[in-house]
Each structure stands twice: as C-alpha cells, then as structure tokens.
Amino acid sequence: MFQEKIINDEILEKMSLENVFKIFNDNVFPMLNSEEREYCANLQEVCLDISPKIDRSKDVYGLLSELGKYGYVQRINPWKDFKPFGMKKEILLGAHISMLDPQLELARVASGILCGNPTFHYYEHGGESEVPKRVQDELLSGQKVGCIGITEPERGSDAVNMTTICTKTDDGIIYNGEKVYTTNGPKADYFCCYGVYDDSNPRDTMVQSLIAREFGVKTKRLKINSVPRVHISHTILDNVKVPLDYVLADNGMGYKRLFEGLVPERLAIMGSGIGICWAGIIYGIIYTNLRKQFGKPVIRYQGVGYGLADLLTKSNAATALALQAATVYDEKILFADQPSKEAGKWTAAISSQGKYYVAKLTHEICYETQQLVGGISVTDNTPLDELSDVSKIEEVIGGARNIQLLLIQGQIQRYIGLL
Ligand SMILES: Cc1cc2nc3c(=O)[nH]c(=O)nc-3n(C[C@H](O)[C@H](O)[C@H](O)COP(=O)(O)OP(=O)(O)OC[C@H]3O[C@@H](n4cnc5c(N)ncnc54)[C@H](O)[C@@H]3O)c2cc1C
C-alpha cells in the first residue's frame, strides 16, 4: 500500500476514514437536520465501501461509475429517483467525496457539475432536443466522462473575451479554437464547450454546446504534478462540427448560461474545499494525539495543540458559511416558486466570497497541519500530502483568487450608491 511503511501500526490503525467521519460528525452534525444527517450517514456507508477499492497508483476514472450507482456524481438537481437533492446535499456530497479521495472529487465536479449542470439548465430554459438528456444519464451514471471548456491559452480570467470561433451552417455549428486546463479532457466523452460567432462581441454571440469526442476533438494531456490521478488537457477544436441537437444555448444565450452556471459551480467547489479542510485537520488531530515525543502526545505541546485549535475553528466557520449559503440557495432560489432576486444577488456574492475563503483555507489547513504533524505527513504514509497537493488546485479552478476578489471589490464599490 505504501512505497515504504514507517508509520507506527497503532497510529495507522486509527488513521481511518471511519474515524475521520466520526470526528466530522461530531463537528458538523449539530448543524444538520435529521434528513441531512441520514443523507450523510448513507453517504459515509458508501464511501467506506468504495474506499478499499481505490488504487492510489491508478487514475480515478474507474470510480465514477461506483458513485453513479448511488446518484453521487451530482446531487444539486433531481436525477432518476435519487433523493434528497439540492445545493446543501451537493455541498455535503462534495465534502464526503473529498474526504474519501480528493482527486476523485475534482474529476466528479468537472463531469457531474461543470458538464452535467448545463444539461439541466437546457431543459429549465425550454430546450427540446433529447440529446442532452441522454448525455445527462450517461454522465450521472458515471458511465461516460464529461468536462468543461472555457479557459483558452490566451484567455484565462478574461474568459468572456474568448477567441474560439463558431460558424453556423445549415445543420450544425463548426468550432475552431483551443482550450486549456480541461479537467478530465483526455478521458472525456463529452466536452461542454463555449465559443463565439464574433470575438469582438462575445456577450451577444456566445454559444454553449455539448461536443462528443467523436466529432473530432483532439486532446493532449498536460503534466500537472499535484493531481497525477486526474487527466487535464490542452484541447484542440479544429473544424469540429456540432449537430444542432447538441447545441445547448445559441446566439448569445451561451453567455447567460456561462454566468448562470458559475454560482452553483462555485458553491459546489466550496463543498469539495470543506472536505479537504476536514480531512486535513482530522488526520492531524488523530496523529498528534497518538504520536509521543519527550514522553507525551505532541498535541499537548502548545505549539501543536493551539495550531490545530486555530485550524479547527476556521474549518467550522467555513463549513457554517458553506451550509448557510447552500440553505439560502435551496430555499430562495432552487426550490422557490418565484426565485428571489435579492437572494440571487446575495448567493452570487457569497459564492465568490466563500469560494475564495474556503479554497485558500484548504491550503492553509493542509500546509499548517503538515508542519504540526511532522515528517510523516510528507510521505505517502498519511493522506496529508495528497490533500495538500489538491489544495493548490482548489484556488485556481472555478476562477483564480484575484477574480473572486475582483467580483467582491465590485460589490463593495456599489455600496456608496446606497448611502
Ligand atoms: C488544474 C486546473 C484545472 C482547471 N480546470 C478547468 C476546466 O476544467 N475548464 C476550464 O475551462 N478551465 C479550467 N481551469 C482554468 C482556470 O479556471 C484558470 O486557470 C483560471 O480562470 C485563471 O486563468 P489563468 O490560469 O489563465 O490565469 P490568468 O488569467 O492569466 O491570471 C494570471 C494572474 O493574474 C491575475 N489576474 C488576472 N486578471 C486579473 C484582474 N483583472 N485583476 C487582478 N488580478 C488578475 C490572476 O488572478 C492570476 O493571479 C483549470 C485550471 C487548473 C490549473
């Protein structure tokens, strides 16, 4: 299991996923109602069942169908008879899959949320093609893999001004352009891809389509050391023709869907993040309670114990924020007969603030916990180094740190108009 085992057997026995869940439940269950607790208990059972099947020397893609069996590729929207669903359930799902396997969680979010969610938005807006429903079933069962193509080599944070050009023909739309950092790209069967008819007017001409790999998409895998079990690509669209029934949003509607998708995506990424925070801090708590130096457990030294206490406080604060944001989103937007505009503005703002705070916290918690745990934490004998590596990615996916701050700055600048 490890390249070379040096961890003490008694400590290793306690560093189990089951024990991570026990400490997570002690902290988080008081914030949940009985339906949410039952949902988590079921999730934990499935995670404990999947855990021994994970081979950390292999990529994560064989595991998506394991999640699909239980409707765990996404839980924001209703799919098949899987219940309950909603943003709070999605946040809890993301948190658990991160605790199970943070790289699997990255691939799940890209396939189930970033590619899967637009198929739900399509029907909410009156779409009639049967293709997105078929793709949705394939993605959510975990049988097929999806990804999203927004970022381009020359357009990262400035994503709206994309340069991928779409040309309409009688029976389809031809895409020409390049995307980068496409999470799952090398393994993907479907690419939810954006392009524009006129790159000088992206807002009014943006298109969003599902593109099947067989339409001619080419991918080249990027080397990204921190997530070796996830495949991320440079994606080439060279005269790729997309039939009209694969087009999700045409003639500028693609721009609206891009932004509509960002809020639930960022909230979902908060779920992944809080799972990394909890796994990081909990493995640290277990290890330092059992590791003895100078005759006593190292957690009893103030330098270690106070550090963990500080991180635990932040982890709880981040969790409360994520759960509260999801509650407002569910009650006032997702399940509301008439979605509240005020809540829409608030969740858009809080999704940036929360994504910024939680993503940064994943790194702080994992890095600081590693320092408090000591040498073992940088070997493969604990899950901490993998968690720490994935935490680097959390800050950059879904919009880098400064883009969240730019959006938050825009919001606070408007307050002067209220006075
Ligand atoms: C591992 C990984 C997976 C990803 N997965 C996907 C995916 O599946 N699909 C996809 O489409 N994209 C994906 N991305 C892309 C990700 O969303 C972008 O990396 C991100 O939007 C930033 O773009 P950039 O990296 O080109 O940085 P740039 O936009 O070039 O920014 C460089 C720096 O400048 C800062 N900056 C830029 N503009 C401003 C500004 N106006 N004010 C202040 N600071 C600014 C940025 O914050 C950053 O620090 C992924 C990225 C990574 C690394």
Side-chain angles (χ1 to χ4, degrees), residues 106 110 114 147-159 179-185 224 226-227 232 392-393 396-403 406:
L106 189 61
L114 306 184
C147 64
I148 196 160
I150 301 172
T151 310
E152 301 178 349
E154 299 304 325
R155 296 291 186 279
S157 304
D158 188 14
K179 301 290 177 182
V180 282
Y181 311 120
T182 319
T183 303
N184 296 346
I224 299 187
S226 44
V227 284
I232 300 175
K392 270 195 262 179
I393 306 296
V396 74
I397 54 159
R401 177 196 301 178
N402 274 359
I403 286 311
L406 183 76

Side-chain angles (χ1 to χ4, degrees), residues 310-311 314 359-369 391:
D310 173 65
L311 299 175
K314 290 173 179 166
K360 204 155 178 265
L361 188 61
T362 61
H363 178 69
E364 182 187 344
I365 288 187
C366 293
Y367 180 79
E368 293 301 324
T369 300
S391 79

Side-chain angles (χ1 to χ4, degrees), residues 89-272:
K89 307 302 179 308
E90 172 59 36
I91 295 256
L92 292 166
L93 172 62
H96 281 83
I97 307 300
S98 272
M99 289 187 275
L100 170 69
D101 179 346
Q103 295 192 60
L104 171 62
E105 170 60 7
L106 189 61
R108 181 197 73 85
V109 167
S111 195
I113 307 293
L114 306 184
C115 190
N117 233 12
T119 64
F120 288 95
H121 290 161
Y122 174 78
Y123 293 109
E124 282 160 25
H125 290 280
E128 289 179 349
S129 161
E130 285 171 10
V131 170
K133 177 72 189 123
R134 174 172 55 76
V135 173
Q136 184 181 98
D137 287 343
E138 291 172 342
L139 294 176
L140 270 48
S141 62
Q143 298 301 324
K144 295 273 165 90
V145 178
C147 64
I148 196 160
I150 301 172
T151 310
E152 301 178 349
E154 299 304 325
R155 296 291 186 279
S157 304
D158 188 14
V160 169
N161 287 304
M162 57 184 65
T163 63
T164 295
I165 297 296
C166 290
T167 313
K168 206 175 253 181
T169 66
D170 289 343
D171 55 349
I173 295 175
I174 298 171
Y175 274 69
N176 274 295
E178 286 176 41
K179 301 290 177 182
V180 282
Y181 311 120
T182 319
T183 303
N184 296 346
K187 293 278 177 180
D189 302 286
Y190 297 106
F191 299 72
C192 178
C193 251
Y194 293 82
V196 291
Y197 289 121
D198 176 1
D199 60 359
S200 67
N201 185 15
R203 285 173 177 75
D204 295 326
T205 69
M206 196 176 289
V207 185
Q208 180 203 43
S209 305
L210 285 170
I211 309 185
R213 177 179 288 277
E214 68 254 28
F215 298 160
V217 185
K218 299 257 180 325
T219 53
K220 291 176 186 164
R221 188 176 178 190
L222 299 170
K223 181 161 172 62
I224 299 187
N225 287 328
S226 44
V227 284
R229 295 166 56 232
V230 180
H231 290 225
I232 300 175
S233 69
H234 179 190
T235 305
I236 319 277
L237 302 156
D238 182 10
N239 275 322
V240 172
K241 186 163 177 185
V242 183
L244 288 175
D245 48 1
Y246 282 74
V247 176
L248 296 175
D250 202 356
N251 300 322
M253 287 308 292
Y255 173 73
K256 294 211 167 76
R257 299 283 170 84
L258 175 68
F259 277 84
E260 190 181 83
L262 285 176
V263 173
E265 282 158 20
R266 287 181 181 148
L267 292 172
I269 294 172
M270 280 172 81
S272 316

Side-chain angles (χ1 to χ4, degrees), residues 15 109 139 177 217 298-299 308 337 384 387:
M15 298 277 279
V109 167
L139 294 176
V217 185
V298 293
I299 202 167
L308 288 169
D337 295 335
L384 280 164
L387 289 160

